[in-house]
Amino acid sequence: MNAIKLLPDLLISQIAAGEVVERPASALKEMLENSVDAGAADITVQLVQGGIKLIRVMDNGTGISKEDIPLALARHATSKISTLEDLQQVVSLGFRGEALASIAAVSRLTLASRRAEQKHAWKVQAESGRLSPPEPVALASGTTVEMHDLYFNTPARRKFLKTEATEFSYCEETFKRIALSRPDIGFTLQHNGTVRRHLRAADPRSRIAAVLGDEFSQTSVLIDEQAADLRLWGSAALPAYSRASRDAQYFFVNGRFVRDKLITHALREAYRDVLHLDRYPAFVLFLEMKAESVDANVHPTKIEVRFRDPRALHQFVFHAIDKALATGQPASRGSVLATGDQEHKPNDRGNTDMAINEKAGAEFSGYPRQGVMSLKSYISPEPPAAAQPQAFYSALFGVEDDGLKSAQTVLDIHTAGTRAKEPEVPPLGFALGQLRGIYILSQNDRGLLIVDMHAAHERLLYEKLKSALDNHTLAMQPLLIPATFYADSLDIVTAEENSDSLSELGFEISTFSPTMLVVRSVPVALKNADVVKLARDVLSDIREFGASQALTSRRNELLSTMACHGAVRANRMLTIPEMNALLREMEVTERAGQCNHGRPTWFEISLADLDKMFMRGK
């Protein structure tokens, strides 16, 4: 008797179902993808008991002919590919031809469909591998798939299902992913007879707001970047909207939702400078590329993909997101998100302005919140009374005149010939005063701003140090009285062996005695810092990670430490001119909305919010 046997078809399908149909949400995903591939313009989902008892998906797509209906439930039967070349450049969401067969193997499945040219629809039923002959049924053009009693014939698998509420939450998440990927399709979700979501066909921006809410829509920057055959567009939330989990991360490759370690790393790196370590970014991003440049046939549920050129893709995604977060405004003013185009074609987008919808902004009132501040968006026709000469900037930021003319230049260039115009209020407004030596209170056209002066100054210094190090222009400030301090033998050896690296960072540290080091020069921007503590921390980083890592992979962490030492401290009383100098510099500095550790540097409370607090008008 042979020890190796061919498995029966039903068992084969049930094994396949173990990979494809993990829970009701997995079956719903396959059914929705079939409806999308069928060209449906409207899809309705009905669930009972979280999808365990019933999943019904109804669409108005092209439908299936009577002859093809039995084949639709056969294993490895599909209309989407027929050759190896088709498999290598898949454009449909489904292509394996095993999803419905796998679902039918572990549930009671009913499939009814009608093509537009047919007089009536045809229906088949499948249960435990047995398929009924097609029979006529009344149905509008399109397809209806019903899955009853998931895992009724495999009770061991059914025991692994969670509660009704948990399974419904997974189904709703699957519904949201498909709805985000195709805003041109209308979607309806019902659970136990109650409509939970009704999404009309809309432009991508409206669909994102409908699914994730107005708060996400209004606290995100819009992205539309192209390079060679790659295009990345969508919305990336500002760090102020960061999450405690990855529940608001949606990345689509050619319309397919994916989770990819390469993409995740690129996005995490782009947010690293502005996001706190225990927080996660939120985004809805769409990557478009040639079908042959990505392999979707690497995972049973097709949630993972493989890219032909991962290194180039990583750099493209990283720089696109980093650019948008740095400027605080869309990377391109003509975006798919602001248009009504439904076809998702890379070159058929309109050029509608991408500014945040003012009406929507008026309806939503977050308290307090941090909005989008575009860099260099403020040009004052005439410097107000509080505008300061360059000396104030130099005194506050500790840099030479040549390195800090940006904010003053912004005020000066446009002064001539425009003095008759009313002064424009800058984005961060004008300082009113200081609270407890920690916060700057400022007012602009929208209301009251609260600025953490240490966090803000820390970010300014950090960006200056990064720029100077990148351009090899990190100036050194010789100390009039060199600072000496006791050091252990490891610190002394570190200083002696890494003098060139220290010099590159703007430090001159040498041995003063067998037990002491002397600091003779520090970076100009940090001349007012605690020199000894700063030197100790820099030496500690170099000793722990090595000079090469400190200047490459650990560079930002080291510069962040340096900036923290040089930033203005709490309880230091600033004058109004100094406060305004800080605000103006923030307006022309990248990523000024967050400190080096990802914490916000400012928040805004609108006049409308203040009126509500004091019940004005009631």
Side-chain angles (χ1 to χ4, degrees):
M1 184 175 179
N2 293 338
I4 300 177
K5 302 175 183 179
L6 290 173
L7 298 177
D9 286 341
L10 176 60
L11 183 56
I12 292 172
S13 294
Q14 289 175 336
I15 292 172
E19 296 180 328
V20 178
V21 189
E22 180 185 358
R23 56 183 356 119
S26 307
L28 177 61
K29 168 185 175 291
E30 301 294 342
M31 294 158 71
L32 284 172
E33 287 182 350
N34 282 337
S35 294
V36 171
D37 287 339
D42 192 76
I43 301 174
T44 298
V45 177
Q46 296 176 344
L47 306 175
V48 176
Q49 294 182 13
I52 301 172
K53 186 68 176 175
L54 169 69
I55 297 179
R56 180 184 291 122
V57 176
M58 301 176 288
D59 68 59
N60 60 352
T62 56
I64 308 172
S65 66
K66 175 186 176 182
E67 296 75 20
D68 286 340
I69 281 186
L71 284 173
L73 298 182
R75 295 185 65 245
H76 304 304
T78 180
S79 62
K80 299 167 185 177
I81 63 171
S82 58
T83 67
L84 178 60
E85 288 71 23
D86 295 336
L87 180 61
Q88 291 174 341
Q89 37 191 328
V90 173
V91 294
S92 58
L93 295 178
F95 54 86
R96 289 202 179 104
E98 62 178 354
L100 287 180
S102 299
I103 296 171
V106 291
S107 68
R108 298 182 175 96
L109 188 74
T110 300
L111 171 63
S113 188
R114 175 190 171 191
R115 295 185 67 88
E117 66 272 13
Q118 292 180 331
K119 292 182 179 180
H120 50 74
W122 294 88
K123 178 180 75 172
V124 294
Q125 293 177 305
E127 180 177 337
S128 298
R130 297 186 298 272
L131 187 66
S132 69
E135 58 184 61
V137 66
L139 183 71
S141 61
T143 302
T144 297
V145 183
E146 296 181 7
M147 186 203 75
H148 296 264
D149 303 320
L150 181 63
Y151 294 137
F152 80 98
N153 55 355
T154 53
R157 290 296 302 272
R158 192 179 181 92
K159 291 178 181 178
F160 285 94
L161 296 179
K162 305 300 182 184
T163 64
E164 176 182 326
T166 300
E167 295 301 339
F168 172 71
S169 67
Y170 281 111
C171 287
E172 186 179 32
E173 179 62 24
T174 297
F175 178 88
K176 287 162 61 176
R177 293 172 183 177
I178 300 294
L180 285 170
S181 72
R182 290 301 299 270
D184 56 319
I185 300 176
F187 290 90
T188 302
L189 175 64
Q190 299 177 16
H191 185 227
N192 293 338
T194 303
V195 176
R196 295 299 186 93
R197 288 183 181 269
H198 180 63
L199 305 172
R200 295 185 177 88
D203 60 90
R205 182 177 174 187
S206 300
R207 174 60 58 84
I208 290 173
V211 173
L212 296 185
D214 287 333
E215 185 179 2
F216 173 86
S217 181
Q218 295 175 40
T219 56
S220 59
V221 289
L222 307 182
I223 295 161
D224 195 352
E225 283 288 317
Q226 284 186 284
D229 296 323
L230 300 174
R231 182 181 184 220
L232 183 70
W233 58 275
S235 294
L238 293 169
Y241 185 80
S242 62
R243 317 288 287 177
S245 65
R246 297 183 177 91
D247 63 340
Q249 296 185 353
Y250 299 91
F251 196 92
F252 301 88
V253 177
N254 290 344
R256 185 192 310 279
F257 175 83
V258 301
R259 288 202 183 281
D260 183 81
K261 293 181 180 179
L262 174 85
I263 299 297
T264 300
H265 184 266
L267 291 165
R268 190 69 182 174
E269 285 296 296
Y271 273 93
R272 186 176 65 167
D273 254 5
V274 293
L275 200 62
H276 199 270
L277 292 177
D278 61 351
R279 305 293 291 177
Y280 295 92
F283 49 80
V284 180
L285 297 170
F286 301 85
L287 177 66
E288 295 175 358
M289 61 195 311
K290 288 183 177 180
E292 57 267 28
S293 298
V294 56
D295 184 3
N297 189 31
V298 297
H299 192 274
T301 62
K302 302 180 288 291
I303 199 171
E304 296 178 8
V305 293
R306 184 179 293 117
F307 299 103
R308 177 174 292 180
D309 191 353
R311 183 184 295 272
L313 180 62
H314 181 282
Q315 291 300 306
F316 172 68
V317 172
F318 167 76
H319 287 297
I321 304 301
D322 184 63
K323 176 181 177 182
L325 294 175
T327 58
Q329 62 185 0
S332 171
R333 299 300 296 179
S335 169
V336 59
L337 294 183
T339 73
D341 182 11
Q342 307 297 336
E343 297 299 322
H344 304 291
K345 296 178 182 177
N347 299 319
D348 293 341
R349 307 295 176 184
N351 290 319
T352 310
D353 185 69
M354 292 169 55
I356 289 178
N357 184 286
E358 294 181 2
K359 182 179 179 182
E363 293 172 353
F364 169 74
S365 177
Y367 165 66
R369 68 177 183 271
Q370 186 184 89
V372 177
M373 180 182 69
S374 299
L375 290 182
K376 302 182 181 180
S377 59
Y378 163 63
I379 302 297
S380 174
E382 180 173 2
Q388 304 310 315
Q390 190 65 31
F392 281 109
Y393 290 87
S394 300
L396 178 61
F397 299 114
V399 298
E400 298 297 332
D401 290 349
D402 290 343
L404 252 181
K405 292 184 178 178
S406 55
Q408 186 66 30
T409 303
V410 169
L411 296 175
D412 292 343
I413 327 185
H414 297 271
T415 299
T418 59
R419 297 186 181 276
K421 298 180 182 179
E422 285 294 321
E424 181 184 349
V425 179
L428 295 182
F430 297 113
L432 299 173
Q434 199 173 5
L435 178 64
R436 303 283 298 197
I438 300 173
Y439 301 106
I440 294 173
L441 304 182
S442 173
Q443 71 170 350
N444 62 9
D445 284 336
R446 297 178 298 276
L448 174 70
L449 282 91
I450 305 173
V451 180
D452 183 334
M453 66 180 195
H454 171 75
H457 193 204
E458 185 179 357
R459 167 60 70 176
L460 301 184
L461 290 177
Y462 176 52
E463 292 297 330
K464 290 179 185 299
L465 290 170
K466 281 202 302 182
S467 177
L469 188 60
D470 288 341
N471 298 321
H472 304 287
T473 58
L474 194 56
M476 299 173 67
Q477 171 67 54
L479 299 180
L480 183 62
I481 303 176
T484 58
F485 62 96
Y486 286 99
D488 59 32
S489 57
L490 286 177
D491 277 343
I492 292 175
V493 171
T494 301
E496 291 175 345
E497 293 180 350
N498 298 281
S499 58
D500 291 341
S501 297
L502 288 168
S503 179
E504 190 173 344
L505 290 168
F507 292 91
E508 183 183 348
I509 304 176
S510 57
T511 304
F512 186 73
S513 75
T515 59
M516 297 185 71
L517 289 174
V518 58
V519 183
R520 303 186 186 278
S521 297
V522 295
V524 170
L526 307 179
K527 63 182 181 183
N528 295 322
D530 183 333
V531 173
V532 172
K533 194 171 187 314
L534 174 61
R536 287 186 187 278
D537 284 350
V538 170
L539 288 172
S540 175
D541 269 14
I542 293 178
R543 184 176 65 189
E544 182 176 356
F545 300 102
S548 59
Q549 268 200 307
L551 291 173
T552 53
S553 60
R554 291 280 307 176
R555 185 201 70 158
N556 288 352
E557 287 81 356
L558 179 57
L559 295 182
S560 176
T561 299
M562 293 166 59
C564 187
H565 282 289
V568 59
R569 293 293 175 183
N571 299 320
R572 174 182 167 184
M573 302 307 296
L574 301 180
T575 65
I576 292 293
E578 288 175 326
M579 296 179 208
N580 280 317
L582 180 63
L583 298 176
R584 298 296 78 76
E585 190 70 11
M586 289 175 65
E587 290 164 355
V588 295
T589 300
E590 293 182 348
R591 307 175 187 87
Q594 282 71 38
C595 76
N596 313 342
H597 313 292
R599 294 188 294 269
T601 59
W602 62 275
F603 276 108
E604 178 181 284
I605 305 175
S606 70
L607 286 175
D609 290 327
L610 290 171
D611 288 343
K612 288 179 182 178
M613 292 169 63
F614 289 97
M615 302 178 67
R616 289 178 59 86
K618 294 186 178 181

